[in-house]
Amino acid sequence: MSVEASCHCGAVRLVLDTAPATVTECNCSLCRRYGVLWAYYSPSQVTMIPPTLPTATYLWNGRNVAFHHCTNCGCVTHWSSVNPKRDRMGVNARLLEPSILEAAERHYLDKQDRPSG
């Protein structure tokens, strides 16, 4: 059953093939500032509405990961790999309905000592 994540204003919507079974809280220098919980998917499992999202990006991790933010309300919506061969992306699970998020198991990823960049 698909579920939908959306930014605060609704300009960016991500339809996920399935609800996440797990979400990850990362404490790296960027994720802890964003306050996000990541649900990981293959890009083929996520439909973006509209197909060309109204997002701005911030490149990080050696300019290999693009963090997307709604250009209207500023919500962090997802991250994608700059390398199109990488079959993984992260969706900000905090954009899901609370009941969907509550059903997911939380994992903690300790990346605090990872350098910024």
Side-chain angles (χ1 to χ4, degrees):
M1 183 172 133
S2 67
V3 296
E4 185 174 305
S6 69
C7 64
H8 190 260
C9 72
V12 177
R13 297 183 357 238
L14 305 171
V15 179
L16 314 174
D17 282 357
T18 60
T22 62
V23 294
T24 300
E25 179 180 354
C26 175
N27 69 342
C28 77
S29 64
L30 189 60
C31 292
R32 71 181 168 81
R33 286 178 171 90
Y34 284 159
V36 297
L37 292 173
W38 296 116
Y40 300 112
Y41 291 91
S42 165
S44 66
Q45 296 175 291
V46 179
T47 302
M48 299 183 184
I49 301 173
T52 304
L53 296 176
T55 60
T57 57
Y58 175 66
L59 295 176
W60 192 68
N61 192 16
R63 302 186 65 82
N64 291 308
V65 179
F67 286 85
H68 294 255
H69 310 80
C70 174
T71 56
N72 188 49
C73 67
C75 286
V76 176
T77 56
H78 66 289
W79 65 259
S80 60
S81 177
V82 173
N83 180 350
K85 292 182 181 180
R86 185 169 185 213
D87 191 38
R88 183 172 164 116
M89 68 180 291
V91 173
N92 182 0
R94 291 200 187 272
L95 304 181
L96 294 165
E97 287 298 320
S99 60
I100 295 169
L101 182 56
E102 289 167 8
E105 180 181 339
R106 283 197 188 197
H107 289 195
Y108 186 73
L109 182 61
D110 187 2
K111 292 284 187 175
Q112 187 169 349
D113 293 326
R114 183 177 186 170
S116 298

